[in-house]
Amino acid sequence: MHQERIARVAQQLAQTDHDIIFVAPGADLRYLTGYDALPLERLTCLAVRTTGEAWMIVPTLEKPSALAHKVPDMGIELLDWQETQNPYSLLMSAVGQPQRPLVNNLMWVEKAFGIQGASGTNVELAGKLLSDIREVKTPDEVTYLHEAGAAIDQVHMNMHKWLRPGRTEREVGKDIAEAILAAGHVTVDFVIVASGPNGASPHHEVSDRIIQAGEPVVVDIGGTMASGYCSDCTRMYVCGEPPAEYLEHYAVLMAAQEAARLHARPGVSCESVDAAARNVLESAGLGEQFIHRTGHGIGMETHEEPYIVIGNKSLLVPGHAFSIEPGFYFAGKYGARIEDIVTCTEVGIKSANNTTRELVVL
Amino acid sequence: MHQERIARVAQQLAQTDHDIIFVAPGADLRYLTGYDALPLERLTCLAVRTTGEAWMIVPTLEKPSALAHKVPDMGIELLDWQETQNPYSLLMSAVGQPQRPLVNNLMWVEKAFGIQGASGTNVELAGKLLSDIREVKTPDEVTYLHEAGAAIDQVHMNMHKWLRPGRTEREVGKDIAEAILAAGHVTVDFVIVASGPNGASPHHEVSDRIIQAGEPVVVDIGGTMASGYCSDCTRMYVCGEPPAEYLEHYAVLMAAQEAARLHARPGVSCESVDAAARNVLESAGLGEQFIHRTGHGIGMETHEEPYIVIGNKSLLVPGHAFSIEPGFYFAGKYGARIEDIVTCTEVGIKSANNTTRELVVL
């Protein structure tokens, strides 16, 4: 599987006027090789030529780990460097002089400049070369995303155990973090518990604020499974009776989120999915309170292509996986967001998150 | 405090021929502003001029979060950009045309090239400009590191609850991850449980391998506290009776680790601390099995300056914080490492980790 992915990168590369691509640790490298090398100060880097030839350089102390991940079995030539060697020079000696090298977008600039320095050639961004491949998920990847969705659903279904008035967001968040691991994730990627006015900040995390009765609470949580695939799901809670006005807004938000889910299918543009949700909120006078795009792609990263945003005219195809998460935010008062991860099928979408989208009254 | 740190960056910058520095989310930004902005595809970036003027651009949806982190109160002009705007152009309009801009080393290359494109000027690496400031810890930062050390010590002290023959590394690792959070960390950064031959890979994480009686197990674990400072501590365990030969090697390793701790003090070079440990292992014929440097700095990142490695002639000063972690690795058999985080005092070092360094027999 990984060998095929690398071959595909080489094929795509051959259709450009670039001769080699360098890929640093991160989701791109995990996708291409299955090797979850840590992004460290020491250089680890994959290089793929248009011919399909591939090399990976790792620090000597990571060599056992690279071997355990069967790097050489994928047809990748494994190089290692000692603490006192220059890894960039070693890498260039192995791959030969690059003419127009690409680097993956999320490489640290110090590594990109290291490659630039050792090769004596300017590097350019891989741009969509890798994301065009990664954004269309195989059936196995779709399964992994639905497994991740089921795991985070488990956590939402148990929210009544932790979310209570009188507890702080941080206390609740700590319990949730433990539950994310207990549900089968290997890492906790983020825990947002945003009560009352904190809910007006879409990416508020947790604070020492004490949750009050009658306050809406945004709970947006996610982690990464052993498969390497991520979960991300937002549900809304309230302990006791919410303000009447909030319930009216919430009904609009549910309709907006449903409109986007009903609209999404192969052949429609990403921006039209955004519009489907946005139109409902705008019609109800909540357009200015919806201050972000409707969604983001997801896979081995929580945020990746395709982005469900105004201006993205790319068409959905089966295998695309993304969030549908409209929201509204009133500064100083409260906020709301409903988020599902969905995968595009041959005829529509399938949701990886399946707990109720209603406001959950605890 | 953050205002002083930014002023210090401006002063250091004024001593170079660079006129502005751009800093992306990550430890550099957290250190300078206290704002733990997520490293996302959307641009968030701090800019500091030699005059001390500072700007931060954030996506509009992150503005409440930036305000909650009191970014404007630090004298930083806060800009925000909508989903459909070009944040790089907006940022350049605010800061004025850069002449010789620096970027922090760990900025993603796509962001660095975005700045390069919008400014029409090549960016260069900040290099040691930021790390020279960050590597010397204040008394408060030293306290935070010792608190982190005490928290991870708690986890090691309870290892007997989880580490048993017949369990897999992954099962034990999951319990440890929960304990890292329960001990007061807000994130689990890494969990290495490397049994028997897996211990020969310094950065092996966990696997489905079942731990056997009599096998040495490397447990190297760390997390980040609410203060933002990291823990990192390795201890060695064995369930039952280890091989006699292993005990001999282990005694050498303890002596090597102690030699480095006794040697480290203000005024000695980083590489001499490495040599202090290495000489003991080499004298006992274990030099070739010690395949990595003796240590790394630690603070808001697990790995940062100063590195305790051959070739680093920098002298230790009070406030330096780093690991002392020699090891030995026999492919196919076993490995060992003993790691403490220490902080450099006026006269020597103080260890943040204080559980026994002996091989713990469970």
Side-chain angles (χ1 to χ4, degrees), chain B residues 5 10-11 18 20 25 40 51 63 94 99 134 141 143 155-156 172 187 231 262 266 286 289 291 295 300 305 343 362:
Chain B
R5 289 178 178 176
Q11 282 160 19
H18 297 277
I20 191 164
L40 293 174
T51 55
K63 193 178 172 186
Q99 302 302 318
R134 281 179 49 198
E141 290 181 284
T143 301
V155 181
H156 274 298
V172 174
T187 60
S231 66
L262 291 172
L286 289 171
Q289 277 68 47
I291 58 174
M300 300 190 100
E305 297 283 351
T343 53
L362 297 174

Side-chain angles (χ1 to χ4, degrees), chain B residues 216 243-257 280-281 284-287 289 326-330 333-338 359:
Chain B
E245 179 201 47
Y246 186 84
L247 291 175
E248 285 169 34
H249 296 333
Y250 195 82
V252 175
L253 182 62
M254 279 191 68
Q257 208 261 358
V280 174
L281 285 154
L286 289 171
Q289 277 68 47
F328 61 77
Y329 307 92
F330 284 88
K333 286 177 77 176
Y334 47 57
R337 186 162 62 256
I338 302 170
L359 176 64

